[in-house]
Amino acid sequence: MIKRSNVKIGVAPIAWVEDDMPEYGKETTFLQTISEIALLGFEGSEIGCLFPRDTNILNAEMKRRGLESITAWISIYLLERPFWMDVRDFTDHVLFLKNAGAKVINVSDQSFSIQHRAHTFYQDKPVLTQEQWTEFADKLNQLGQIAKDHGLEIVYHPHMTTTVQTAAEIDKMLELTNPDLISIIFDAGHLTFSGDDPVKVLEKHFDRIKHIHLKDVRADALKRCEEKKLSFLESILEGVFTVPGDGCVDFPKIFDILAEKEYKGWLVVEAEQNPYEYNPFDYSKMGLEYLMNYVD
């Protein structure tokens, strides 16, 4: 069993409002979202696309409900635009998260990404050259130093259809980056969707994993996504992702490893789904109840 004292239990509000397609759930307000999250018994929430960026408002409403702000996503473009732009935007994001009380920064490089190409087959993702890998890692390390200077840490998010998606790309990124500056998010859902074994990645890179997204995959939906050659966004609407315990990911084995190695940090229930088809309150409750069977 995972020691309760080692972890905090959070949720991603992407179940309420789909960050990549905010028309799905757009009428669900920030206050409704965090009120439901608090009612479910979570200790914290990641910061969604409709959350206020005024930390006076954000902090007051989160505190009122006994919730912590965990982190927020930022897209960077290390190979697509002048680096000063990423430094500017990343530094501002660091200051926002610092003021919100977060300790980790959810970072994803979107250079040449097809994540938001609504009609491009998800397998047609970018692949970096060795020269691009070197540039990418050098710049990411520099951003990691900025974060560290402010008392925060990058937890890079390997993500479908982006620069770093596969287990091999995770290997490459971790080989080239400074372990004192760059850690990663473990997301079993994305790894399974990618065709990799999340258990092997967890075992191999446990020491670099500082944040965990608990996301499952519906095997039947995944098969349809491949057969129909759907995009990443279309795959979400097809129902490829779900909460832990509702799909094909071997979470019992994952939880055994986390218990054995005494993982310390946030466990975040996450599933980007169509909120009109998969009620966010019901599914987040389902994911939380499943998780708590393995936490003591």
Side-chain angles (χ1 to χ4, degrees):
M1 298 286 281
I2 297 169
K3 289 183 181 178
R4 186 66 181 88
S5 59
N6 282 345
V7 296
K8 292 183 178 181
I9 311 297
V11 71
I14 198 168
W16 279 261
V17 182
E18 219 300 320
D19 281 4
D20 293 322
M21 298 175 284
E23 62 270 26
Y24 288 91
K26 63 183 182 300
E27 64 286 304
T28 307
T29 66
F30 158 65
L31 294 181
Q32 178 183 338
T33 299
I34 63 171
S35 293
E36 292 189 8
I37 288 170
L39 182 61
L40 284 165
F42 288 102
E43 295 172 271
S45 172
E46 297 198 349
I47 297 170
C49 64
L50 297 187
F51 282 37
R53 261 44 189 180
D54 182 331
T55 51
N56 291 320
I57 298 171
L58 175 66
N59 294 346
E61 295 299 340
M62 295 290 276
K63 182 178 180 181
R64 184 168 284 123
R65 292 160 178 81
L67 295 173
E68 294 183 47
S69 293
I70 303 170
T71 188
W73 169 288
I74 182 172
S75 295
I76 54 177
Y77 300 84
L78 299 179
L79 303 173
E80 271 197 34
R81 65 179 187 176
F83 187 47
W84 67 264
M85 297 177 71
D86 281 312
V87 170
R88 175 197 62 188
D89 295 350
F90 181 77
T91 302
D92 186 73
H93 193 66
V94 168
L95 294 173
F96 164 66
L97 288 178
K98 186 176 183 179
N99 290 336
K103 300 299 182 185
V104 294
I105 311 165
N106 181 356
V107 174
S108 172
D109 184 68
Q110 294 287 318
S111 301
F112 322 120
S113 168
I114 57 169
Q115 180 178 338
H116 301 108
R117 307 282 76 77
H119 306 290
T120 301
F121 185 31
Y122 67 82
Q123 290 186 4
D124 296 336
K125 71 171 292 293
V127 178
L128 301 188
T129 66
Q130 181 57 49
E131 183 179 2
Q132 289 172 325
W133 271 114
T134 300
E135 179 182 356
F136 163 80
D138 177 65
K139 290 178 177 178
L140 187 60
N141 280 330
Q142 292 182 60
L143 296 184
Q145 186 63 56
I146 292 171
K148 186 175 182 178
D149 289 345
H150 287 280
L152 282 82
E153 182 175 15
I154 285 179
V155 284
Y156 189 95
H157 194 335
H159 193 287
M160 284 295 296
T161 71
T162 68
T163 307
V164 181
Q165 170 190 302
T166 67
E169 288 167 338
I170 293 172
D171 291 347
K172 188 74 170 177
M173 183 191 74
L174 294 180
E175 174 190 343
L176 293 173
T177 53
N178 186 339
D180 293 330
L181 301 176
I182 307 298
S183 299
I184 61 169
I185 292 175
F186 174 74
D187 189 314
H190 280 276
L191 287 165
T192 300
F193 193 176
S194 182
D196 292 297
D197 183 347
V199 171
K200 290 182 179 178
V201 173
L202 179 61
E203 290 176 327
K204 184 174 184 178
H205 295 302
F206 179 82
D207 291 342
R208 297 286 292 273
I209 292 167
K210 299 295 178 65
H211 194 58
I212 292 179
H213 283 172
L214 300 175
K215 184 189 293 127
D216 215 330
V217 170
R218 296 183 176 94
D220 57 340
L222 177 57
K223 183 178 179 181
R224 293 195 302 271
C225 293
E226 184 172 7
E227 290 173 345
K228 294 179 177 180
K229 297 187 181 302
L230 298 184
S231 68
F232 174 71
L233 298 183
E234 290 169 330
S235 297
I236 290 173
L237 299 179
E238 191 70 24
V240 69
F241 290 136
T242 184
V243 295
D246 189 44
C248 64
V249 172
D250 188 358
F251 274 107
K253 178 61 175 175
I254 288 170
F255 292 145
D256 282 347
I257 295 169
L258 295 179
E260 179 186 347
K261 293 182 177 291
E262 296 206 18
Y263 168 79
K264 296 179 175 65
W266 282 97
L267 296 173
V268 178
V269 174
E270 182 190 38
E272 48 265 57
Q273 304 186 92
N274 181 346
Y276 305 125
E277 185 171 355
Y278 305 102
N279 182 273
F281 186 93
D282 292 344
Y283 272 82
S284 297
K285 181 183 180 189
M286 183 193 308
L288 176 61
E289 289 176 346
Y290 177 79
L291 167 61
M292 295 312 293
N293 289 323
Y294 297 89
V295 177
D296 185 15

